[in-house]
mmCIF file of all heavy atoms in Angstrom:
data_model
loop_
_atom_site.group_PDB
_atom_site.id
_atom_site.type_symbol
_atom_site.label_atom_id
_atom_site.label_comp_id
_atom_site.label_asym_id
_atom_site.label_seq_id
_atom_site.Cartn_x
_atom_site.Cartn_y
_atom_site.Cartn_z
ATOM 1 N N ALA L 1 0.856 -1.189 0.000
ATOM 2 C CA ALA L 1 0.000 0.000 0.000
ATOM 3 C C ALA L 1 0.887 1.233 0.000
ATOM 4 O O ALA L 1 1.981 1.222 0.556
ATOM 5 C CB ALA L 1 -0.914 0.006 1.219
ATOM 6 N N ARG L 2 0.409 2.300 -0.627
ATOM 7 C CA ARG L 2 1.145 3.565 -0.679
ATOM 8 C C ARG L 2 0.516 4.640 0.198
ATOM 9 O O ARG L 2 1.162 5.653 0.473
ATOM 10 C CB ARG L 2 1.205 4.071 -2.129
ATOM 11 C CG ARG L 2 1.984 3.154 -3.067
ATOM 12 C CD ARG L 2 2.031 3.754 -4.461
ATOM 13 N NE ARG L 2 2.796 2.922 -5.387
ATOM 14 C CZ ARG L 2 2.986 3.208 -6.672
ATOM 15 N NH1 ARG L 2 2.456 4.335 -7.173
ATOM 16 N NH2 ARG L 2 3.695 2.406 -7.440
ATOM 17 N N HIS L 3 -0.716 4.432 0.610
ATOM 18 C CA HIS L 3 -1.461 5.463 1.322
ATOM 19 C C HIS L 3 -2.257 4.785 2.421
ATOM 20 O O HIS L 3 -2.801 3.694 2.222
ATOM 21 C CB HIS L 3 -2.401 6.184 0.345
ATOM 22 C CG HIS L 3 -3.019 7.440 0.894
ATOM 23 N ND1 HIS L 3 -4.182 7.448 1.625
ATOM 24 C CD2 HIS L 3 -2.633 8.744 0.799
ATOM 25 C CE1 HIS L 3 -4.501 8.696 1.959
ATOM 26 N NE2 HIS L 3 -3.574 9.500 1.473
ATOM 27 N N SER L 4 -2.337 5.410 3.576
ATOM 28 C CA SER L 4 -3.093 4.821 4.676
ATOM 29 C C SER L 4 -4.581 4.787 4.365
ATOM 30 O O SER L 4 -5.090 5.530 3.521
ATOM 31 C CB SER L 4 -2.850 5.613 5.960
ATOM 32 O OG SER L 4 -1.543 5.428 6.426
ATOM 33 N N SER L 5 -5.276 3.914 5.067
ATOM 34 C CA SER L 5 -6.719 3.718 4.920
ATOM 35 C C SER L 5 -7.429 4.277 6.142
ATOM 36 O O SER L 5 -7.019 4.027 7.278
ATOM 37 C CB SER L 5 -7.007 2.217 4.786
ATOM 38 O OG SER L 5 -8.330 1.903 5.173
ATOM 39 N N LEU L 6 -8.522 5.009 5.930
ATOM 40 C CA LEU L 6 -9.309 5.489 7.057
ATOM 41 C C LEU L 6 -9.939 4.322 7.820
ATOM 42 O O LEU L 6 -10.046 4.363 9.044
ATOM 43 C CB LEU L 6 -10.384 6.462 6.582
ATOM 44 C CG LEU L 6 -9.871 7.853 6.176
ATOM 45 C CD1 LEU L 6 -10.955 8.636 5.442
ATOM 46 C CD2 LEU L 6 -9.384 8.643 7.385
ATOM 47 N N HIS L 7 -10.354 3.272 7.089
ATOM 48 C CA HIS L 7 -10.899 2.084 7.750
ATOM 49 C C HIS L 7 -9.900 1.538 8.782
ATOM 50 O O HIS L 7 -10.210 1.386 9.964
ATOM 51 C CB HIS L 7 -11.181 0.981 6.729
ATOM 52 C CG HIS L 7 -12.190 1.294 5.694
ATOM 53 N ND1 HIS L 7 -13.525 1.483 5.979
ATOM 54 C CD2 HIS L 7 -12.064 1.423 4.344
ATOM 55 C CE1 HIS L 7 -14.186 1.713 4.847
ATOM 56 N NE2 HIS L 7 -13.322 1.688 3.850
ATOM 57 N N THR L 8 -8.696 1.226 8.297
ATOM 58 C CA THR L 8 -7.691 0.601 9.159
ATOM 59 C C THR L 8 -7.222 1.563 10.235
ATOM 60 O O THR L 8 -7.055 1.170 11.393
ATOM 61 C CB THR L 8 -6.486 0.133 8.322
ATOM 62 O OG1 THR L 8 -6.939 -0.665 7.225
ATOM 63 C CG2 THR L 8 -5.523 -0.688 9.167
ATOM 64 N N THR L 9 -7.007 2.800 9.867
ATOM 65 C CA THR L 9 -6.484 3.771 10.826
ATOM 66 C C THR L 9 -7.416 3.928 12.022
ATOM 67 O O THR L 9 -6.964 3.972 13.171
ATOM 68 C CB THR L 9 -6.248 5.128 10.143
ATOM 69 O OG1 THR L 9 -5.293 4.954 9.078
ATOM 70 C CG2 THR L 9 -5.713 6.162 11.124
ATOM 71 N N LEU L 10 -8.728 3.986 11.787
ATOM 72 C CA LEU L 10 -9.661 4.131 12.903
ATOM 73 C C LEU L 10 -9.654 2.888 13.793
ATOM 74 O O LEU L 10 -9.638 3.004 15.021
ATOM 75 C CB LEU L 10 -11.073 4.411 12.389
ATOM 76 C CG LEU L 10 -12.131 4.605 13.482
ATOM 77 C CD1 LEU L 10 -11.758 5.737 14.430
ATOM 78 C CD2 LEU L 10 -13.508 4.858 12.861
ATOM 79 N N SER L 11 -9.643 1.698 13.197
ATOM 80 C CA SER L 11 -9.628 0.474 14.001
ATOM 81 C C SER L 11 -8.372 0.400 14.857
ATOM 82 O O SER L 11 -8.431 0.031 16.041
ATOM 83 C CB SER L 11 -9.723 -0.760 13.096
ATOM 84 O OG SER L 11 -11.006 -0.869 12.519
ATOM 85 N N VAL L 12 -7.229 0.754 14.276
ATOM 86 C CA VAL L 12 -5.976 0.715 15.030
ATOM 87 C C VAL L 12 -5.977 1.804 16.109
ATOM 88 O O VAL L 12 -5.538 1.567 17.247
ATOM 89 C CB VAL L 12 -4.764 0.848 14.090
ATOM 90 C CG1 VAL L 12 -3.475 1.023 14.887
ATOM 91 C CG2 VAL L 12 -4.666 -0.378 13.185
ATOM 92 N N LEU L 13 -6.471 2.985 15.773
ATOM 93 C CA LEU L 13 -6.552 4.074 16.763
ATOM 94 C C LEU L 13 -7.370 3.661 17.980
ATOM 95 O O LEU L 13 -6.974 3.915 19.127
ATOM 96 C CB LEU L 13 -7.191 5.307 16.125
ATOM 97 C CG LEU L 13 -6.287 6.459 15.714
ATOM 98 C CD1 LEU L 13 -7.111 7.555 15.055
ATOM 99 C CD2 LEU L 13 -5.495 7.014 16.881
ATOM 100 N N GLU L 14 -8.507 3.042 17.739
ATOM 101 C CA GLU L 14 -9.347 2.604 18.856
ATOM 102 C C GLU L 14 -8.595 1.615 19.736
ATOM 103 O O GLU L 14 -8.681 1.676 20.968
ATOM 104 C CB GLU L 14 -10.635 1.980 18.318
ATOM 105 C CG GLU L 14 -11.580 3.005 17.703
ATOM 106 C CD GLU L 14 -12.761 2.386 16.976
ATOM 107 O OE1 GLU L 14 -12.663 1.207 16.574
ATOM 108 O OE2 GLU L 14 -13.768 3.083 16.790
ATOM 109 N N GLY L 15 -7.841 0.704 19.105
ATOM 110 C CA GLY L 15 -7.085 -0.267 19.877
ATOM 111 C C GLY L 15 -5.948 0.349 20.657
ATOM 112 O O GLY L 15 -5.765 0.065 21.850
ATOM 113 N N LEU L 16 -5.163 1.197 20.015
ATOM 114 C CA LEU L 16 -4.030 1.825 20.695
ATOM 115 C C LEU L 16 -4.494 2.730 21.832
ATOM 116 O O LEU L 16 -3.863 2.771 22.900
ATOM 117 C CB LEU L 16 -3.199 2.628 19.693
ATOM 118 C CG LEU L 16 -2.462 1.834 18.613
ATOM 119 C CD1 LEU L 16 -1.754 2.783 17.649
ATOM 120 C CD2 LEU L 16 -1.465 0.842 19.203
ATOM 121 N N THR L 17 -5.590 3.449 21.626
ATOM 122 C CA THR L 17 -6.094 4.345 22.664
ATOM 123 C C THR L 17 -6.641 3.555 23.848
ATOM 124 O O THR L 17 -6.428 3.935 25.005
ATOM 125 C CB THR L 17 -7.162 5.279 22.086
ATOM 126 O OG1 THR L 17 -6.584 6.045 21.016
ATOM 127 C CG2 THR L 17 -7.707 6.236 23.138
ATOM 128 N N GLU L 18 -7.333 2.450 23.588
ATOM 129 C CA GLU L 18 -7.824 1.606 24.677
ATOM 130 C C GLU L 18 -6.651 1.014 25.461
ATOM 131 O O GLU L 18 -6.694 0.919 26.692
ATOM 132 C CB GLU L 18 -8.711 0.488 24.127
ATOM 133 C CG GLU L 18 -9.517 -0.252 25.177
ATOM 134 C CD GLU L 18 -10.561 0.614 25.867
ATOM 135 O OE1 GLU L 18 -11.086 1.556 25.246
ATOM 136 O OE2 GLU L 18 -10.863 0.320 27.050
ATOM 137 N N TYR L 19 -5.610 0.641 24.752
ATOM 138 C CA TYR L 19 -4.387 0.128 25.379
ATOM 139 C C TYR L 19 -3.795 1.181 26.316
ATOM 140 O O TYR L 19 -3.494 0.906 27.481
ATOM 141 C CB TYR L 19 -3.401 -0.237 24.262
ATOM 142 C CG TYR L 19 -2.032 -0.691 24.693
ATOM 143 C CD1 TYR L 19 -1.777 -2.023 24.993
ATOM 144 C CD2 TYR L 19 -0.970 0.214 24.748
ATOM 145 C CE1 TYR L 19 -0.495 -2.454 25.355
ATOM 146 C CE2 TYR L 19 0.300 -0.197 25.113
ATOM 147 C CZ TYR L 19 0.536 -1.535 25.418
ATOM 148 O OH TYR L 19 1.807 -1.939 25.775
ATOM 149 N N GLU L 20 -3.670 2.410 25.837
ATOM 150 C CA GLU L 20 -3.136 3.488 26.666
ATOM 151 C C GLU L 20 -4.057 3.774 27.857
ATOM 152 O O GLU L 20 -3.587 3.918 28.999
ATOM 153 C CB GLU L 20 -2.966 4.754 25.839
ATOM 154 C CG GLU L 20 -2.444 5.942 26.645
ATOM 155 C CD GLU L 20 -2.417 7.242 25.864
ATOM 156 O OE1 GLU L 20 -3.146 7.357 24.860
ATOM 157 O OE2 GLU L 20 -1.679 8.155 26.273
ATOM 158 N N ASN L 21 -5.347 3.822 27.613
ATOM 159 C CA ASN L 21 -6.297 4.183 28.665
ATOM 160 C C ASN L 21 -6.349 3.164 29.796
ATOM 161 O O ASN L 21 -6.748 3.499 30.921
ATOM 162 C CB ASN L 21 -7.697 4.367 28.086
ATOM 163 C CG ASN L 21 -7.833 5.637 27.262
ATOM 164 O OD1 ASN L 21 -6.970 6.514 27.315
ATOM 165 N ND2 ASN L 21 -8.901 5.733 26.499
ATOM 166 N N ASN L 22 -5.965 1.931 29.511
ATOM 167 C CA ASN L 22 -6.021 0.885 30.530
ATOM 168 C C ASN L 22 -4.696 0.685 31.262
ATOM 169 O O ASN L 22 -4.532 -0.294 31.983
ATOM 170 C CB ASN L 22 -6.509 -0.427 29.914
ATOM 171 C CG ASN L 22 -8.023 -0.449 29.776
ATOM 172 O OD1 ASN L 22 -8.739 -0.714 30.731
ATOM 173 N ND2 ASN L 22 -8.510 -0.138 28.581
ATOM 174 N N GLY L 23 -3.775 1.635 31.075
ATOM 175 C CA GLY L 23 -2.580 1.661 31.905
ATOM 176 C C GLY L 23 -1.434 0.775 31.471
ATOM 177 O O GLY L 23 -0.476 0.581 32.226
ATOM 178 N N TYR L 24 -1.478 0.235 30.262
ATOM 179 C CA TYR L 24 -0.358 -0.559 29.774
ATOM 180 C C TYR L 24 0.836 0.359 29.488
ATOM 181 O O TYR L 24 0.662 1.508 29.057
ATOM 182 C CB TYR L 24 -0.753 -1.322 28.513
ATOM 183 C CG TYR L 24 -1.847 -2.348 28.738
ATOM 184 C CD1 TYR L 24 -3.166 -2.083 28.375
ATOM 185 C CD2 TYR L 24 -1.560 -3.591 29.304
ATOM 186 C CE1 TYR L 24 -4.169 -3.020 28.580
ATOM 187 C CE2 TYR L 24 -2.562 -4.536 29.509
ATOM 188 C CZ TYR L 24 -3.860 -4.245 29.140
ATOM 189 O OH TYR L 24 -4.856 -5.174 29.347
ATOM 190 N N THR L 25 2.029 -0.151 29.704
ATOM 191 C CA THR L 25 3.219 0.696 29.576
ATOM 192 C C THR L 25 4.196 0.232 28.510
ATOM 193 O O THR L 25 5.096 0.997 28.130
ATOM 194 C CB THR L 25 3.967 0.768 30.919
ATOM 195 O OG1 THR L 25 4.357 -0.559 31.323
ATOM 196 C CG2 THR L 25 3.088 1.388 32.000
ATOM 197 N N TYR L 26 4.065 -0.977 28.003
ATOM 198 C CA TYR L 26 5.007 -1.489 27.010
ATOM 199 C C TYR L 26 4.984 -0.619 25.757
ATOM 200 O O TYR L 26 3.925 -0.404 25.149
ATOM 201 C CB TYR L 26 4.664 -2.937 26.658
ATOM 202 C CG TYR L 26 5.530 -3.530 25.571
ATOM 203 C CD1 TYR L 26 6.884 -3.799 25.802
ATOM 204 C CD2 TYR L 26 5.006 -3.807 24.314
ATOM 205 C CE1 TYR L 26 7.684 -4.332 24.805
ATOM 206 C CE2 TYR L 26 5.786 -4.347 23.313
ATOM 207 C CZ TYR L 26 7.132 -4.604 23.560
ATOM 208 O OH TYR L 26 7.920 -5.129 22.565
ATOM 209 N N LEU L 27 6.135 -0.072 25.383
ATOM 210 C CA LEU L 27 6.291 0.797 24.205
ATOM 211 C C LEU L 27 5.276 1.941 24.195
ATOM 212 O O LEU L 27 4.825 2.382 23.131
ATOM 213 C CB LEU L 27 6.172 -0.015 22.910
ATOM 214 C CG LEU L 27 7.275 -1.041 22.632
ATOM 215 C CD1 LEU L 27 7.043 -1.732 21.289
ATOM 216 C CD2 LEU L 27 8.658 -0.393 22.641
ATOM 217 N N LEU L 28 4.959 2.451 25.374
ATOM 218 C CA LEU L 28 3.900 3.451 25.467
ATOM 219 C C LEU L 28 4.224 4.718 24.691
ATOM 220 O O LEU L 28 3.344 5.297 24.044
ATOM 221 C CB LEU L 28 3.617 3.789 26.932
ATOM 222 C CG LEU L 28 2.476 4.791 27.176
ATOM 223 C CD1 LEU L 28 1.166 4.298 26.572
ATOM 224 C CD2 LEU L 28 2.307 5.053 28.668
ATOM 225 N N SER L 29 5.463 5.172 24.736
ATOM 226 C CA SER L 29 5.783 6.413 24.012
ATOM 227 C C SER L 29 5.609 6.230 22.511
ATOM 228 O O SER L 29 5.112 7.140 21.825
ATOM 229 C CB SER L 29 7.212 6.865 24.336
ATOM 230 O OG SER L 29 8.164 5.898 23.918
ATOM 231 N N GLU L 30 5.979 5.047 21.990
ATOM 232 C CA GLU L 30 5.778 4.774 20.563
ATOM 233 C C GLU L 30 4.299 4.674 20.226
ATOM 234 O O GLU L 30 3.848 5.134 19.175
ATOM 235 C CB GLU L 30 6.505 3.489 20.157
ATOM 236 C CG GLU L 30 8.023 3.609 20.105
ATOM 237 C CD GLU L 30 8.673 3.391 21.466
ATOM 238 O OE1 GLU L 30 7.942 3.350 22.492
ATOM 239 O OE2 GLU L 30 9.913 3.266 21.501
ATOM 240 N N VAL L 31 3.538 4.062 21.125
ATOM 241 C CA VAL L 31 2.093 3.970 20.942
ATOM 242 C C VAL L 31 1.476 5.371 20.899
ATOM 243 O O VAL L 31 0.653 5.672 20.037
ATOM 244 C CB VAL L 31 1.458 3.128 22.075
ATOM 245 C CG1 VAL L 31 -0.063 3.309 22.112
ATOM 246 C CG2 VAL L 31 1.813 1.657 21.902
ATOM 247 N N GLN L 32 1.878 6.231 21.802
ATOM 248 C CA GLN L 32 1.344 7.587 21.839
ATOM 249 C C GLN L 32 1.691 8.366 20.580
ATOM 250 O O GLN L 32 0.860 9.138 20.073
ATOM 251 C CB GLN L 32 1.849 8.308 23.086
ATOM 252 C CG GLN L 32 1.271 7.752 24.380
ATOM 253 C CD GLN L 32 1.961 8.270 25.623
ATOM 254 O OE1 GLN L 32 3.144 8.644 25.597
ATOM 255 N NE2 GLN L 32 1.239 8.302 26.742
ATOM 256 N N LYS L 33 2.887 8.175 20.056
ATOM 257 C CA LYS L 33 3.265 8.830 18.799
ATOM 258 C C LYS L 33 2.389 8.352 17.651
ATOM 259 O O LYS L 33 1.946 9.143 16.807
ATOM 260 C CB LYS L 33 4.736 8.562 18.493
ATOM 261 C CG LYS L 33 5.714 9.275 19.409
ATOM 262 C CD LYS L 33 7.146 8.882 19.070
ATOM 263 C CE LYS L 33 8.145 9.529 20.038
ATOM 264 N NZ LYS L 33 9.546 9.079 19.770
#
């Protein structure tokens, strides 16, 4: 792929944000970026 997808980006965003919100710390700074 050459360009990101809104479909995939939203699904991944929801997952990464839930991960952060539940206090996980592994690679947290990279996740936040």
Side-chain angles (χ1 to χ4, degrees):
R2 296 182 179 179
H3 191 273
S4 290
S5 156
L6 286 168
H7 298 293
T8 308
T9 300
L10 181 57
S11 290
V12 171
L13 257 178
E14 289 171 338
L16 293 177
T17 301
E18 193 65 30
Y19 176 87
E20 179 186 21
N21 288 346
N22 279 279
Y24 296 102
T25 59
Y26 176 69
L27 294 182
L28 183 58
S29 62
E30 288 85 349
V31 166
Q32 291 169 333
K33 289 177 183 176

